[in-house]
Amino acid sequence: MTEIFLEDVAKTFLINGAILPVLAGLTVQVEAGEFVSLIGPSGCGKSTLFNIICGLTAPDRGRVMLGGRDDVPAREVVSYMPQKDLLLPWRTVLDNVILARRAVGREKSAVQKEARELMPLFGLTGFENSYPAELSGGMRQRVALMRTVLAHRRVLLLDEPLGALDAITRTRMQQWLLEVWNNFKQAVFFVTHDIDEAIFLSDQVYVLTPRPAKVCLHLTISLPRPRCAALLTDPAFLALKKKIMLALQV
Amino acid sequence: MPRLDWFSGPVNKGGRIWPALLCLLAFFLAWEAGVRLLAIKPYLLPAPSQVFGTLVEMLPLLARHSQSTLLEAVTGLAAAVVTTLVLAAVMDLHPWIRQGIYPLLVVSQTVPIISIAPLFIIWFGYGILPKVVVVALVCFFPVVVSLVEGMQSADSDMVNLLRVMGYSRWQIIRLVRFPAALPAFFAGLKIAGTYSVMGAVIGEWLGAVNGLGVFMTRATHAYQLDRVFAAIFIIILVSLLIYALIELLAHLAMPWYYNEKEK
């Protein structure tokens, strides 16, 4: 089943009287359970695209289908993890991760129990009652991801979740992200600037042009899973990387 | 030098109590010396030692009067907070409502309380109600301004995220906007808290049976300035008590904030 289907989506902003075309007819598809990455230069409108999928911004033209239908509210299909972790500073880790689940009126104790059981997978055991300010950057991202995953939606929208982390933490988090994905079988729509990261994680990669953004390359990554760090120097991997670099003109 | 270490120790830990106490002591000494050397009459300016004597002597009476003053101050403060919570929530509904009400709040502060307080006596009698109204009017502004500004400062991305999760407007106010505004709210509440006792005393000046304001009016009329100063001392004490109470409430209400501050 197709979870996200965007057809010819365009958006133009009017900023201080200047016309700023951001998306110029984007067509993207995310199938159930797939890991799909979107890669492109900074400021090419990826966050705008996510806002359109979430229903926070209306597209000028084009079609947005979620879960194969036009009329489903975004919150029933997608769970969004923005670039900033946006943890509520006044809530403990445990109370932050259950936020999305509580939004749909689930019973608190049941949701908390579920969250407690999943703490080890997210490496947060022992931090249930800590406040976000007491955590490191990597841990905050894991809390934010846990909140996103625990919403139990069919699609996760991840907007550069690893962007702010150092290279070593980042590589480790990529492996761990695949582990989490494997555990929950949700489709992932992932935004990144990092070519290696996109290939390493994904089944499909969409490469965008600078603003106004269009898809200039769509690659299917059929590298075997599970994937490990050795893959990064594999000739097949490097060939894919070369194609993407060519498309990005770097 | 151990003496110096002992002296500066509490300062380094953040408790700047010693320098303040020392300054206060020096002030009282200068006052005492001035009154004695210049032989100033007690009905013009009593010496601190005399004020202290009066304070001890009048303590039971002062305690009884400060009870009603404290009751008026706290009730008025609470009334101001409740009104603020309701008004802030309403103002958050639409920018139009906020822009409509906000200037009115500012205008309300330009009305001199001292000139309309007698009207409250006419309307509400000599009981506790007119004093509570005066206190509420004095305290209302700093609290509502800090809360409304604080709610505006909430991260709009956070609000959007919760909206995508499916939270309603009221739930978002409760989960994001109010908590985000708490630090500003308590800052305003501390200012209001110190105003509240003053508001109650002003209310009592204009007509009351009990309270520090009444005690002071009577003492002033009898040129018993030592009693006036003793009452002032009690007012300071009561105000500090309310301040400390608010500080305690703030710690209980936002442990996360003080956690962050300590880091």
Side-chain angles (χ1 to χ4, degrees), chain B residues 24 33 76 104 150 160-161 166 221:
Chain B
L24 205 62
L104 297 184
N160 276 339
L161 181 69
H221 289 159

Side-chain angles (χ1 to χ4, degrees), chain A residues 97 115 118-119 122 124 142-150:
Chain A
V97 297
L118 284 170
M119 286 289 168
F122 288 86
L124 294 167
R142 291 207 293 271
V143 176
L145 186 70
M146 186 169 174
R147 179 186 62 198
T148 316
V149 170
L150 271 187

Side-chain angles (χ1 to χ4, degrees), chain A residues 75 84 89-91 99 134, chain B residues 157 164 167 175 179 256 259:
Chain A
R75 61 171 177 273
K84 291 190 274 176
W90 41 86
R91 291 193 148 219
L99 259 183
E134 300 167 49
Chain B
D157 290 334
V164 173
Y167 281 107
L175 290 171
W256 53 275
N259 242 336

Side-chain angles (χ1 to χ4, degrees), chain A residues 54 56 75 78 80 82 84-91 98-100 102-104 131 133-135 147 153, chain B residues 154-155 157-158 160-167 171 174-177 179-181 255-257 259-260 263:
Chain A
C54 289
L56 291 172
R75 61 171 177 273
V78 302
Y80 177 33
K84 291 190 274 176
D85 57 55
L86 296 180
L87 302 176
L88 305 187
W90 41 86
R91 291 193 148 219
I98 63 169
L99 259 183
R102 295 277 294 152
V104 290
Y131 287 104
E134 300 167 49
L135 306 180
R147 179 186 62 198
R153 296 293 181 275
Chain B
D155 191 334
D157 290 334
M158 234 176 233
N160 276 339
L161 181 69
L162 264 76
R163 203 181 296 159
V164 173
M165 284 179 186
Y167 281 107
Q171 286 173 317
R174 192 168 59 79
L175 290 171
V176 181
R177 292 205 187 272
W256 53 275
Y257 176 72
N259 242 336
E260 226 164 303
K263 288 200 112 185

Side-chain angles (χ1 to χ4, degrees), chain B:
Chain B
M1 282 194 289
R3 200 181 123 80
L4 201 75
D5 282 344
W6 170 82
F7 196 73
S8 60
V11 181
N12 293 339
K13 282 174 200 149
R16 295 180 184 78
I17 189 93
W18 293 113
L21 276 184
L22 203 74
C23 275
L24 205 62
L25 194 69
F27 173 72
F28 282 133
L29 283 176
W31 179 355
E32 184 83 35
V35 170
R36 279 170 193 249
L37 288 175
L38 302 173
I40 297 175
K41 300 275 188 305
Y43 65 83
L44 289 176
L45 182 67
S49 56
Q50 192 197 343
V51 172
F52 185 73
T54 311
L55 183 67
V56 173
E57 184 191 326
M58 305 241 91
L59 209 53
L61 188 64
L62 281 168
R64 197 163 59 80
H65 281 301
S66 44
Q67 258 175 27
S68 34
T69 306
L70 189 63
L71 180 69
E72 291 155 10
V74 172
T75 314
L77 194 58
V81 169
V82 171
T83 318
T84 292
L85 290 180
V86 174
L87 203 62
V90 171
M91 280 164 84
D92 198 65
L93 285 179
H94 197 278
W96 270 60
I97 301 177
R98 189 174 64 249
Q99 284 156 17
I101 295 179
Y102 206 95
L104 297 184
L105 291 180
V106 177
V107 169
S108 80
Q109 283 309 294
T110 62
V111 177
I113 295 280
I114 197 87
S115 65
I116 54 164
L119 301 184
F120 298 143
I121 304 270
I122 296 172
W123 294 335
F124 307 124
Y126 282 93
I128 186 176
L129 188 59
K131 288 89 181 176
V132 171
V133 172
V134 171
V135 174
L137 276 178
V138 171
C139 296
F140 175 63
F141 191 65
V143 181
V144 79
V145 167
S146 55
L147 185 64
V148 170
E149 302 275 323
M151 281 171 73
Q152 289 308 302
S153 75
D155 191 334
S156 61
D157 290 334
M158 234 176 233
V159 173
N160 276 339
L161 181 69
L162 264 76
R163 203 181 296 159
V164 173
M165 284 179 186
Y167 281 107
S168 72
R169 172 165 220 120
W170 285 107
Q171 286 173 317
I172 290 176
I173 288 181
R174 192 168 59 79
L175 290 171
V176 181
R177 292 205 187 272
F178 269 142
L182 276 184
F185 170 73
F186 275 106
L189 193 61
K190 280 181 208 167
I191 298 174
T194 53
Y195 284 179
S196 64
V197 182
M198 187 193 73
V201 170
I202 291 179
E204 288 162 358
W205 271 350
L206 299 161
V209 184
N210 271 316
L212 290 169
V214 181
F215 180 87
M216 283 172 88
T217 324
R218 286 180 193 152
T220 313
H221 289 159
Y223 287 94
Q224 293 165 320
L225 260 61
D226 51 339
R227 289 190 182 195
V228 175
F229 279 103
I232 290 175
F233 182 79
I234 296 291
I235 288 174
I236 293 173
L237 224 58
V238 172
S239 299
L240 286 180
L241 184 76
I242 290 181
Y243 188 90
L245 220 71
I246 293 169
E247 187 80 40
L248 181 75
L249 271 179
H251 271 87
L252 291 176
M254 19 179 226
W256 53 275
Y257 176 72
Y258 290 96
N259 242 336
E260 226 164 303
K261 244 172 110 176
E262 273 169 32
K263 288 200 112 185

